[in-house]
Amino acid sequence: MAFEHFVVHIPHNSFEIPESYKNSFCISEKEVFRQQLFMTDAHTAELFCDDEIAKVRVINPVSRLICDVERFRDDKDEYNAEKGQGLMYTKGMFGKKLRDYDENLRNRILEEFYDPHHARLTEAVELALEKTGRCTILDGHSFNSVWPIKRDCFFRRPDFCIGTDPFHTPKGLEEALVKACKEAGYHVRVNTPYCGTITPIKHYGKDKRVLSIVVEVNRKLYMNEKTGEKTEGFEKTKEMCRKLMKIAAEYKE
């Protein structure tokens, strides 16, 4: 039986660029795809998929180069907006220009993708609270095995990163996921190389009944990072993601 209080959020899995948005880029389709290979959390919709555990999943259907649903709605609240990576990207990795800023385009993205996505996520959380009195959100991501920036020299990129929020992530939930990774022989870090979680604005910092945790998977475990193709490690990695989902779904304070 699925866990009615459990919501899986997949924001960066898609490579989909709607036809009507392709001409918004000032770079070639080949370069767009190269940027996507680096920035897309490829195959995470498959890694974090189990009908017995995760009956409710909220998945962004388009590429984050079109709409990054994990950015704040107002660029004034989003520190990534300063480097051209708010909810509408004008720059890609390493400052590569993708498009000019266009207020009309941004409003269109808000209307067609961003607001509907967050409405779905909020609705899923509200329904869980209504049915069970609680909700646990697991945010599924992946990350590159190598990051060519000097700060990466200070630590080895882990196999798994557990992202937390000081208000919405109980210490016990964090510790349970870290323990499971270590017991399975994986190298795991908390909030390194990425930190934070997602919670609907309606509940963010206000409702303790809403728990939130992020599981980030090192892409070297399951895919060829140069081509995007799955490798022989995919099924093993998927099974570990399933285990982490189950732990999160079963967690009670």
Side-chain angles (χ1 to χ4, degrees), residues 185-217:
Y186 291 106
H187 174 214
V188 58
R189 287 180 178 271
V190 176
N191 292 323
T192 302
Y194 299 100
C195 62
T197 70
I198 190 167
T199 307
I201 290 296
K202 180 177 181 179
H203 308 280
Y204 182 63
K206 305 169 188 174
D207 196 339
K208 280 285 189 180
R209 297 177 301 165
V210 181
L211 310 185
S212 185
I213 193 96
V214 173
V215 175
E216 298 248 13
V217 188

Side-chain angles (χ1 to χ4, degrees), residues 40-81:
T40 302
D41 295 350
H43 310 299
T44 47
E46 294 179 71
L47 288 176
F48 296 94
C49 178
D50 189 298
D51 291 340
E52 294 298 313
I53 302 170
K55 183 178 180 180
V56 179
R57 297 196 303 161
V58 180
I59 304 175
N60 179 17
V62 296
S63 170
R64 68 190 298 185
L65 296 190
I66 296 298
C67 178
D68 193 333
V69 296
E70 294 228 320
R71 304 310 197 211
F72 282 109
R73 194 179 192 279
D74 191 333
D75 282 344
K76 293 178 182 178
D77 300 323
E78 178 56 60
Y79 75 93
N80 286 296

